[in-house]
Amino acid sequence: LFQYALHYKKSIILGLIFLGIAVTLELAGPLIAKKVIDEHILGVEGYWQEVKENTDHHTIPYDNKFFKRVDRLEDTDETIGEPWTLLQIGTSYYMVPEEVPLLGTREVEDGIVAIEIGKEVFEYEAVQLPLRDMRMFFQPEQRPILLLLTLYMVLLIIAGVFKFFETYLLQRASNQIIKKLRMDLFTHIQRLPIDYFVDRPAGSIVSRITNDTEAIRDLYERVLSIIVSSVVYMAGIFVALFILDAELAMYCLAIIPLIYLWMKGYKYFGTKYNTVIRATISDINGKINEAIQGMSIIQAFNQEKNVQDEFEQLNDRHYRYQKKLVRLSALTSYNLVTALRNLTFVGFIWYFGSSSLNLSSIISIGMLYAFVDYIPRLFEPVTDTVNQLPLVEQARVAGNRVFELMDEEGEKVITEPIPKFTGHIQFRNVTFSYDNHENVLKNISFEVKPGETAAFVGHTGSGKSSIMNVLFRFYDPQHGEITIDGQSTKNWSRQQVRSHMGIVLQDPFLFTGTIISNVTMNDPTISREKAIAALEAVGATDFIQKLPEEYDEVGTEGGSTFSLGERQLISFARALAFDPAILILDEATANMDTETENVIQHALQVLQKDRTTLVIAHRLSTIQQADRIFVLDRGAIKEQGNHDTLMAKKGLYYQMYQMQQGKSRLVM
């Protein structure tokens, strides 16, 4: 997953930089608030120095004198006497004409201010400032307060802009990653051998390409941005805490190992639960796909209850493990974060002591505000991180499933053109087994010359389809050699071997799309005119012209909106449009009524012209004109020759033919 992220590292790095800027600007708020409180709101309380003249806007006229805060004196200011002290007691302010302690407990009575520090009490004469005079002391602070608040708002707006671009860049990168991942995954499954799909339900594979990649998208789009922003946010808060108080910040660092242990514990249990959940989702998709494909059989045999029970078992397993995951999340999420945050507040209060609540304490009000602001903020990213743990584990398990599929050994797709075949096919001592144990083809040898029509007949399991599978290189034989025009088929890629072959199945498959798109298969080398010419050649125009959109009529997946005969004609036109040198027909006229079969037979004659044709035949009456007929039994060729020769032998072919004609019964 990290390697995939590197493909779009520029967007991700730029997004993270914007995130860092946005977090920095946002976290500047409490520091600005501290400055406003300590220096400008509460800063008027303290030491004021009498100066000789009014030099700038920081100078305050009071009692026919000029005063400036000690921390704002400049080298050019001429001072008079010792500093005075401005104290706040209750809601009133008092001016003491000397420098007095700012710490301790204060009381005032009859113009005497008493300051208690430990066991000692110090008394000073003081003058209470009327509201009008007090306003004058606050007046110089209005402008900097306004500027600082304006700065804070500007920073928030700028942070919002950077946050927008950060979110946009990270989410764009995440969608690009998933787009590439899905494309790579889909491309990879087309390189996998056919037996991979034979052994697995389609719904399970679909689940990996859709559901599992969607879970990974959540990782990149939501989880990654939230966790990274949480890390950056926490780092920014710790920097601010170290600026304010290094010792307290060190104590707060104890949160980090707690979070690490937290995540390790969640990972242990979450991975186990999510593994079962993702596998169950895959099984559910497979079951749904199977039920939809076989709905007519389910309803015909009244199996709705049994199928529902099987689905319920999967659904119940998914529910039980989801419940376990929810329980785990409930135990390790909000409540635990809240408890940890409250304990941190207790430690914070213990650290500063109860005196932190007084104005005269060792900690300033601004400092107190900053800490009270930062500590809840510190736990916001913790909460966000913990809340994403379910999605993290979900994405990890989904990633494992996706890359398990990616790790399946595929073959390189090579589509470089090769010279068109003349159609000379030879099998030399070919032995083949699907499971490497039981041979379905046993030392098969035969030859089909260019332009000939060869038919393969035999009972179910005799090896007819297996011959086509190894010729088409859906599988490779364990022993022997298959050659086309004298070249071994293994000298070419599977795609190159098939580039000059066409196949028509007994139950032709049409894709969702128009009749034209099903003929051309969206191949740019096959024009619309060529597709229409192929349809006309096989005799499909009669039924097409009756359709509302004619050649642009849209069919559903599988072509269920067309009859079997119509689908067969379209598949013939598809094969004709691609102009193959070798044509394979899997009993194209099976299950046809007599009228439709006549149309199909005419189309077959057009299709077979000037091509080497291999026919898998179930009805022997359809292959009487074949140049060669190979009779198979249990993976071996028992007889070969044309129809008349085989009938004259009165062997296995003769018995099969007589049985189909109803004149005799084959004794096995």
Side-chain angles (χ1 to χ4, degrees):
L1 292 176
F2 178 75
Q3 293 296 324
Y4 265 88
L6 290 180
H7 289 288
Y8 304 98
K9 56 182 179 292
K10 289 184 179 179
S11 293
I12 293 175
I13 291 172
L14 191 59
L16 296 180
I17 290 172
F18 286 168
L19 172 63
I21 294 172
V23 168
T24 302
L25 296 176
E26 189 178 340
L27 292 178
L31 294 176
I32 293 174
K34 176 184 177 298
K35 186 176 181 66
V36 169
I37 293 171
D38 285 348
E39 295 187 17
H40 301 292
I41 296 178
L42 300 179
V44 294
E45 181 189 61
Y47 303 120
W48 291 77
Q49 177 67 54
E50 183 182 353
V51 294
K52 191 171 184 180
E53 58 184 8
N54 188 351
T55 55
D56 55 32
H57 67 279
H58 292 301
T59 306
I60 304 298
Y62 168 69
D63 195 22
N64 298 320
K65 301 180 180 66
F66 296 107
F67 288 88
K68 286 184 73 173
R69 280 171 50 176
V70 170
D71 57 340
R72 290 181 178 165
L73 287 173
E74 298 178 1
D75 295 338
T76 56
D77 291 325
E78 296 183 33
T79 61
I80 301 173
E82 295 298 320
W84 291 34
T85 306
L86 182 63
L87 297 174
Q88 181 182 5
I89 303 175
T91 58
S92 301
Y93 285 84
Y94 295 84
M95 182 66 86
V96 180
E98 58 182 301
E99 190 172 346
V100 304
L102 296 177
L103 301 178
T105 304
R106 306 168 188 173
E107 291 183 358
V108 63
E109 186 176 353
D110 298 330
I112 301 297
V113 172
I115 301 176
E116 182 179 353
I117 302 176
K119 295 182 179 180
E120 294 186 79
V121 178
F122 303 91
E123 294 184 346
Y124 306 93
E125 291 186 2
V127 177
Q128 183 177 357
L129 296 179
L131 183 60
R132 177 177 53 82
D133 290 341
M134 197 60 233
R135 264 189 207 147
M136 296 177 63
F137 281 90
F138 275 104
Q139 189 171 1
E141 312 305 324
Q142 293 177 358
R143 184 168 177 270
I145 288 174
L146 185 61
L147 290 175
L148 286 171
L149 293 178
T150 302
L151 173 63
Y152 186 26
M153 287 189 293
V154 170
L155 292 180
L156 288 178
I157 293 171
I158 297 174
V161 173
F162 278 104
K163 190 72 175 174
F164 165 78
F165 284 107
E166 169 262 326
T167 303
Y168 171 75
L169 287 170
L170 289 182
Q171 293 200 3
R172 186 183 69 173
S174 68
N175 281 291
Q176 287 174 323
I177 291 168
I178 297 306
K179 175 187 173 186
K180 178 174 175 56
L181 179 59
R182 278 185 177 152
M183 198 66 245
D184 290 350
L185 198 57
F186 189 78
T187 302
H188 180 69
I189 66 173
Q190 295 183 85
R191 294 198 294 264
L192 296 177
I194 291 296
D195 57 355
Y196 179 86
F197 303 96
V198 172
D199 297 338
R200 291 166 180 82
S204 174
I205 301 172
V206 170
S207 179
R208 298 197 183 202
I209 300 175
T210 55
N211 294 356
D212 289 338
T213 53
E214 191 66 19
I216 296 173
R217 186 181 69 82
D218 287 339
L219 173 69
Y220 286 118
E221 184 174 292
R222 294 169 53 195
V223 179
L224 180 66
S225 61
I226 289 173
I227 289 180
V228 171
S229 65
S230 296
V231 171
V232 174
Y233 205 77
M234 288 181 69
I237 291 174
F238 275 116
V239 169
L241 289 177
F242 271 102
I243 292 173
L244 294 172
D245 191 307
E247 186 177 353
L248 181 61
M250 289 294 294
Y251 291 146
C252 291
L253 284 175
I255 295 172
I256 295 176
L258 283 176
I259 295 173
Y260 174 76
L261 294 173
W262 198 335
M263 294 179 71
K264 290 289 287 184
Y266 190 96
K267 176 184 174 183
Y268 176 76
F269 292 102
T271 299
K272 290 200 301 184
Y273 298 157
N274 272 299
T275 300
V276 176
I277 289 170
R278 303 309 301 181
T280 306
I281 290 174
S282 179
D283 292 341
I284 287 174
N285 283 335
K287 179 59 70 176
I288 292 172
N289 181 71
E290 183 182 65
I292 292 173
Q293 295 291 334
M295 189 58 69
S296 58
I297 303 299
I298 292 170
Q299 293 181 358
F301 287 90
N302 296 322
Q303 292 300 300
E304 292 90 344
K305 183 65 170 63
N306 290 337
V307 173
Q308 182 177 330
D309 291 342
E310 292 173 3
F311 184 82
E312 178 60 26
Q313 290 179 4
L314 294 174
N315 204 24
D316 182 64
R317 188 204 308 167
H318 181 266
Y319 167 75
R320 283 187 287 107
Y321 277 88
Q322 279 284 15
K323 187 169 67 173
K324 290 181 180 181
L325 195 61
V326 168
R327 187 185 301 123
L328 176 65
S329 300
L331 288 172
T332 58
S333 58
Y334 178 77
N335 294 331
L336 201 53
V337 175
T338 303
L340 192 57
R341 183 182 62 194
N342 292 339
L343 287 173
T344 305
F345 264 116
V346 171
F348 170 73
I349 295 171
W350 172 82
Y351 177 81
F352 285 111
S354 58
S355 63
S356 298
L357 301 176
N358 296 327
L359 289 172
S360 56
S361 66
I362 194 170
I363 179 175
S364 68
I365 297 296
M367 178 78 81
L368 182 65
Y369 170 81
F371 270 108
V372 171
D373 193 323
Y374 277 130
I375 287 179
R377 288 187 186 222
L378 182 61
F379 283 91
E380 287 177 10
V382 175
T383 304
D384 291 340
T385 301
V386 170
N387 287 341
Q388 298 310 310
L389 290 181
L391 291 178
V392 171
E393 288 309 308
Q394 208 175 84
R396 285 183 66 254
V397 173
N400 286 336
R401 287 168 49 78
V402 166
F403 289 111
E404 278 177 8
L405 177 54
M406 293 282 275
D407 288 340
E408 288 287 337
E409 188 174 352
E411 297 176 344
K412 186 178 290 187
V413 175
I414 302 174
T415 57
E416 294 177 2
I418 60 173
K420 190 171 183 179
F421 303 146
T422 61
H424 186 196
I425 300 169
Q426 285 183 294
F427 274 53
R428 296 173 182 164
N429 304 315
V430 171
T431 297
F432 170 66
S433 170
Y434 289 102
D435 57 8
N436 291 317
H437 295 294
E438 184 178 353
N439 293 330
V440 293
L441 296 180
K442 302 170 184 176
N443 202 33
I444 293 285
S445 295
F446 65 83
E447 178 182 11
V448 181
K449 294 179 180 179
E452 284 189 342
T453 296
F456 295 84
V457 301
H459 302 293
T460 301
S462 60
K464 303 185 299 297
S465 296
S466 297
I467 287 177
M468 303 309 170
N469 284 339
V470 294
L471 176 62
F472 225 68
R473 284 205 71 189
F474 286 142
Y475 303 90
D476 286 323
Q478 282 80 17
H479 302 286
E481 185 180 41
I482 302 170
T483 65
I484 299 177
D485 298 343
Q487 293 286 327
S488 173
T489 55
K490 291 186 178 180
N491 293 340
W492 300 303
S493 71
R494 298 181 192 274
Q495 294 74 32
Q496 289 173 322
V497 170
R498 298 164 191 161
S499 63
H500 298 304
M501 288 187 183
I503 188 167
V504 178
L505 301 173
Q506 179 178 345
D507 187 10
F509 187 88
L510 300 185
F511 296 89
T512 301
T514 65
I515 293 175
I516 290 293
S517 69
N518 268 285
V519 173
T520 65
M521 297 291 288
N522 296 315
D523 189 326
T525 62
I526 301 176
S527 65
R528 180 183 177 89
E529 291 72 21
K530 187 175 182 180
I532 292 175
L535 288 163
E536 290 175 348
V538 299
T541 50
D542 289 342
F543 86 86
I544 291 176
Q545 289 175 351
K546 298 175 184 177
L547 299 173
E549 301 296 329
E550 296 189 348
Y551 296 101
D552 295 312
E553 183 75 14
V554 176
T556 58
E557 179 186 350
S560 58
T561 51
F562 300 112
S563 70
L564 178 60
E566 291 168 345
R567 294 203 304 272
Q568 196 64 280
L569 288 174
I570 294 172
S571 69
F572 284 170
R574 177 194 293 162
L576 185 61
F578 278 84
D579 192 22
I582 298 172
L583 180 65
I584 297 174
L585 302 174
D586 185 357
E587 191 51 275
T589 60
N591 305 322
M592 297 283 182
D593 58 77
T594 304
E595 183 179 352
T596 304
E597 183 178 349
N598 292 333
V599 177
I600 296 296
Q601 287 291 356
H602 168 73
L604 279 173
Q605 292 174 8
V606 173
L607 198 57
Q608 292 176 242
K609 187 178 180 181
D610 300 326
R611 289 182 176 83
T612 301
T613 306
L614 283 72
V615 181
I616 297 176
H618 299 285
R619 289 197 292 178
L620 304 185
S621 60
T622 63
I623 58 164
Q624 294 181 25
Q625 303 304 317
D627 298 297
R628 294 170 186 252
I629 299 172
F630 298 94
V631 183
L632 296 168
D633 183 40
R634 298 180 183 178
I637 295 178
K638 298 297 185 180
E639 298 175 359
Q640 59 178 300
N642 60 28
H643 175 74
D644 294 335
T645 303
L646 294 175
M647 289 296 291
K649 286 183 178 180
K650 294 190 176 181
L652 187 59
Y653 179 83
Y654 174 82
Q655 292 179 358
M656 293 171 62
Y657 187 83
Q658 292 292 85
M659 182 185 70
Q660 288 192 6
Q661 297 299 315
K663 296 179 180 178
S664 69
R665 183 181 301 272
L666 179 63
V667 179
M668 299 298 292

